[in-house]
Amino acid sequence: MNNHLRALRAQRDWSQSDLAERLDVSRQTVNAIETGKYDPSLPLAFRIARLFRQPIESIFEPGKD
Amino acid sequence: MPRVPERHYQRRSMAAVVVYVAIVMLARAPAREATSLPLQMLYALLPVVPMIYVIWLLAQRIRASDELEQRTHLIGLGVATGVVAIISLIGGFLAAGKILSLQGAASFLLFIFPLLLLVYTATRAWVARRYGIDALCDDDGVPAYQKFLIGALLLAAVAVWVWLKGAGDFELGMLAGMAAVLAVAALLFGLRRWRRRNARRVEP
């Protein structure tokens, strides 16, 4: 799964730690999601979408597999 | 459950291990010398208390973790449980077949819990690496080199105590060897931390 989390975070000038605090996860988890190493659960994806006020499908999109 | 800094758990776990080592050293003689069975049992089982606290801390830590951290914790615990179950089974069969003495089986059982923690930590670190996480160097935790250094000092202290008590060469060699391994690990992790800090300073 691909995502635009890094770009959205950069638009708001937030660090990974800032975003992690807002999502109540660790900074390393934010990094794993941004680098595509970890696909978040549906509840966390909804939290991300709500935080950035965007629909989930505009943040996350299916990858090649 | 709100997130709690790793440091919180790590400091308490390390304090519990120090208390555990102290109790093991101090309660050994009274456990042998106590005249009544309940008192003997009390002294013998006293070291279990700090270990129950460590397990409770681990449960709290997992509960307060996020979903990715929980995944790495649970895979680590799953693998560690499997390894420990197999080793316990082997030990049990060896004791049942009288290949291992009862004293040997008892020593064997004492190493089950440290082995579980060791396999859990190693597996968790390995799984976390797949997600780009350095589980041995948490952002908000006690630095890895400090953890290894405390372990080395603790084992060295026990080795000195064992030496003063006139214990056998095997026990002394094992403790001194483990302390040396941890001291080398502390040195390597300390060097890695120093190199990373320097690299960050060089970056524009």
Side-chain angles (χ1 to χ4, degrees):
Chain A
M1 201 158 67
N2 302 319
N3 67 74
H4 307 294
L5 202 58
R6 193 183 290 268
L8 288 167
R9 179 172 62 78
Q11 278 172 16
R12 282 156 183 78
D13 207 19
W14 288 343
S15 66
Q16 285 186 341
S17 302
D18 294 333
L19 180 57
E21 203 175 312
R22 285 174 165 87
L23 293 171
D24 197 24
V25 296
S26 70
R27 185 202 64 77
Q28 294 183 323
T29 297
V30 168
N31 185 57
I33 296 170
E34 282 188 359
T35 50
K37 286 178 178 157
Y38 174 66
D39 294 330
S41 67
L42 210 47
L44 179 55
F46 270 111
R47 279 209 319 264
I48 293 169
R50 210 176 300 130
L51 181 68
F52 289 108
R53 295 167 200 266
Q54 291 197 18
I56 284 185
E57 60 271 26
S58 72
I59 302 174
F60 298 97
E61 51 192 46
K64 283 175 190 165
D65 44 355
Chain B
M1 199 171 174
R3 288 184 64 75
V4 180
E6 277 292 309
R7 216 177 299 117
H8 171 92
Y9 295 111
Q10 290 174 355
R11 281 185 182 160
R12 279 164 177 75
S13 305
M14 283 190 281
V17 171
V18 172
V19 170
Y20 169 77
V21 171
I23 291 177
V24 167
M25 289 196 292
L26 298 174
R28 216 166 144 185
R32 281 180 188 160
E33 289 157 13
T35 44
S36 69
L37 184 66
L39 204 60
Q40 217 171 8
M41 277 182 70
L42 180 77
Y43 281 126
L45 296 178
L46 214 54
V48 177
V49 177
M51 288 301 105
I52 290 173
Y53 178 63
V54 168
I55 291 174
W56 179 80
L57 275 176
L58 183 63
Q60 293 290 104
R61 185 184 176 198
I62 294 173
R63 269 189 69 198
S65 296
D66 66 37
E67 55 184 54
L68 178 55
E69 289 169 329
Q70 280 188 351
R71 178 184 289 209
T72 60
H73 280 300
L74 296 179
I75 293 174
L77 281 175
V79 171
T81 306
V83 169
V84 163
I86 293 292
I87 290 177
S88 305
L89 202 63
I90 292 169
F93 278 122
L94 288 177
K98 299 206 163 104
I99 300 160
L100 197 66
S101 67
L102 272 179
Q103 183 61 40
S107 308
F108 200 83
L109 283 173
L110 280 177
F111 281 96
I112 289 295
F113 188 64
L115 180 73
L116 184 125
L117 290 183
L118 190 75
V119 178
Y120 153 70
T121 307
T123 310
R124 187 176 168 243
W126 181 73
V127 172
R129 272 181 79 90
R130 286 184 50 207
Y131 298 106
I133 298 171
D134 191 347
L136 287 173
C137 297
D138 307 289
D139 287 348
D140 56 355
V142 175
Y145 82 93
Q146 278 184 21
K147 286 184 241 175
F148 285 117
L149 192 64
I150 291 168
L153 291 173
L154 209 59
L155 282 173
V158 177
V160 170
W161 182 77
V162 161
W163 177 65
L164 289 173
K165 289 269 169 187
D169 289 343
F170 176 76
E171 264 183 309
L172 188 63
M174 198 172 71
L175 286 165
M178 287 196 294
V181 168
L182 289 182
V184 170
L187 185 70
L188 291 176
F189 274 90
L191 276 174
R192 189 175 81 150
R193 186 180 161 89
W194 178 72
R195 283 180 62 182
R196 281 185 176 176
R197 281 197 166 180
N198 274 0
R200 246 178 260 153
R201 250 181 245 153
V202 172
E203 276 173 19

